[in-house]
Amino acid sequence: FKLPVTCCFCFCCRQCNTFTNIHTYTQTYTSYVAREQVKGRTRMANVSKEIVEAFQRDGCVHIQSLLTEEEVNILKRGIEHNLAHPSHRALVASEKTDPGHFFEDFCNWSVNEDYNHIIKKSKIGPLAAALMNSQTARLFHDHVLVKEPGTQADTPWHQDQPYYNVVGNQNVSFWIPVDPVPKDTCLKLIAGTHKGPWYLPRTFKDKKAKWFQEGELPEAPDFDESIHKSLTWDLQSGDAVAFHMACVHSAPGVRRTSSSARRRAFSVRVLGDDMRYCARPWKTSPHIPELESYHDGAVLDLPVFPLLFPTQSD
């Protein structure tokens, strides 16, 4: 599909890239394997051919047990620390009249040791490479989303990528809950929408077009789930929904008021081989100031975007 004409970018042929010999990336008839040997320790994501094909076809898949029980507990600790010590990027996405509370924060991996551990030491890097059919996987940013019990705020249908200043097709977001999430409070995704078009990004609370101008992109329709293929799942702690940044999705509020209804989720957004910087005349969400001096088509290889697969060291 065609990206908006305001996007300036270039793609590099994979054959032009050079890679270290510390990793392998192979496709077999039954599975895709991303494997890395780091100081005698192997990190590997062995994901079925069907899962990779589903991700490529639908733009979203359910990943069971992405994190171990120990990793879930580490991530819970990181989220609670983030809630107690929000960054200057943190925001409340629910109205003051909402009986619940919807908290978001971004880009904290470099100051939150638990986030750093999950992003760099779990299977996220090699799994992302496998899903994207990419030789590399590089962190774009992290995003925590906490909807407390009783939160009425719904997240409307939208795509993530139009809010960003990156272009390309090889990308994946992991939405990882640390609480069990039943279908009625889980993400909903519209299969195949990652293939285009892009829809006009708006602010969630007041519906303003702060990025692309009014009319520059089509409005996101109110997708009729009886017509469009809508995907959602019952998730356990440590499961994940992996989805393309251009896949249309929404999320309901958490209207149950019991403490067990709390929904803490951590998103990790990952870039593959063909992703490039695209300059925007506006402040993107999230704003990443390190990119302000970058030029169109540049590879995002700054320290703020660490390589998750392959890596050179622990």
Side-chain angles (χ1 to χ4, degrees), residues 127-190:
L127 178 59
L131 291 174
M132 298 185 296
N133 287 337
S134 176
Q135 294 281 354
T136 62
R138 186 178 295 277
L139 176 67
F140 184 36
H141 66 267
D142 61 89
H143 180 189
V144 66
L145 308 98
V146 178
K147 285 187 177 180
E148 300 291 353
T151 300
Q152 302 297 303
D154 295 324
T155 303
W157 293 116
H158 69 285
Q159 298 158 307
D160 289 342
Q161 198 166 356
Y163 292 89
Y164 303 154
N165 48 7
V166 293
V167 292
N169 186 57
Q170 288 172 296
N171 62 71
V172 60
S173 292
F174 293 97
W175 190 85
I176 310 166
V178 296
D179 305 294
V181 178
K183 283 185 178 180
D184 64 352
T185 58
C186 187
L187 289 180
K188 292 183 178 181
L189 304 103
I190 303 299

Side-chain angles (χ1 to χ4, degrees), residues 11 37 58 84 91 93 98 114 120 122 126 134 155 168 183 288 294:
F11 293 107
Q37 191 73 24
D58 295 334
L91 57 89
D98 195 314
D114 295 320
K120 293 184 177 180
S122 73
S134 176
T155 303
K183 283 185 178 180
I288 302 174
Y294 252 40

Side-chain angles (χ1 to χ4, degrees), residues 4-242:
V5 294
T6 49
C7 295
C8 300
F9 62 98
C10 67
F11 293 107
C12 292
C13 177
R14 291 189 193 176
Q15 283 81 359
C16 295
N17 293 314
T18 57
F19 302 95
T20 65
N21 60 8
I22 64 170
H23 76 288
T24 61
Y25 179 84
T26 61
Q27 177 181 346
T28 68
Y29 182 75
T30 58
S31 65
Y32 288 63
V33 180
R35 182 195 307 270
E36 179 182 30
Q37 191 73 24
V38 181
K39 292 185 177 179
R41 180 174 60 87
T42 299
R43 286 196 312 155
M44 183 176 71
N46 191 341
V47 58
S48 72
K49 178 175 180 283
E50 289 73 23
I51 289 290
V52 175
E53 289 177 346
F55 178 78
Q56 295 291 326
R57 180 188 67 243
D58 295 334
C60 53
V61 288
H62 173 203
I63 304 294
Q64 293 181 300
S65 302
L66 172 62
L67 301 184
T68 66
E69 183 178 355
E70 179 183 3
E71 288 170 336
V72 169
N73 289 330
I74 291 171
L75 184 52
K76 284 181 179 179
R77 185 175 64 199
I79 291 174
E80 292 305 314
H81 179 83
N82 196 165
L83 288 168
H85 304 90
S87 79
H88 67 277
R89 294 172 292 269
L91 57 89
V92 175
S94 51
E95 300 288 350
K96 292 181 179 180
T97 56
D98 195 314
H101 188 77
F102 182 14
F103 171 88
E104 297 183 74
D105 205 352
F106 306 83
C107 305
N108 288 299
W109 68 269
S110 63
V111 295
N112 187 311
E113 292 182 0
D114 295 320
Y115 288 178
N116 192 307
H117 179 92
I118 294 302
I119 289 169
K120 293 184 177 180
K121 301 295 180 65
S122 73
K123 294 184 292 188
I124 285 174
L127 178 59
L131 291 174
M132 298 185 296
N133 287 337
S134 176
Q135 294 281 354
T136 62
R138 186 178 295 277
L139 176 67
F140 184 36
H141 66 267
D142 61 89
H143 180 189
V144 66
L145 308 98
V146 178
K147 285 187 177 180
E148 300 291 353
T151 300
Q152 302 297 303
D154 295 324
T155 303
W157 293 116
H158 69 285
Q159 298 158 307
D160 289 342
Q161 198 166 356
Y163 292 89
Y164 303 154
N165 48 7
V166 293
V167 292
N169 186 57
Q170 288 172 296
N171 62 71
V172 60
S173 292
F174 293 97
W175 190 85
I176 310 166
V178 296
D179 305 294
V181 178
K183 283 185 178 180
D184 64 352
T185 58
C186 187
L187 289 180
K188 292 183 178 181
L189 304 103
I190 303 299
T193 48
H194 64 301
K195 299 174 183 177
W198 277 15
Y199 295 110
L200 186 70
R202 292 186 177 276
T203 56
F204 290 168
K205 288 174 69 173
D206 53 19
K207 313 302 181 187
K208 290 183 178 179
K210 290 177 58 178
W211 298 278
F212 293 92
Q213 296 180 3
E214 294 280 1
E216 193 170 357
L217 296 175
E219 294 286 346
D222 187 9
F223 286 92
D224 185 341
E225 295 177 58
S226 66
I227 299 173
H228 297 87
K229 181 181 177 182
S230 173
L231 296 173
T232 189
W233 300 271
D234 291 312
L235 303 182
Q236 299 303 313
S237 303
D239 284 0
V241 177

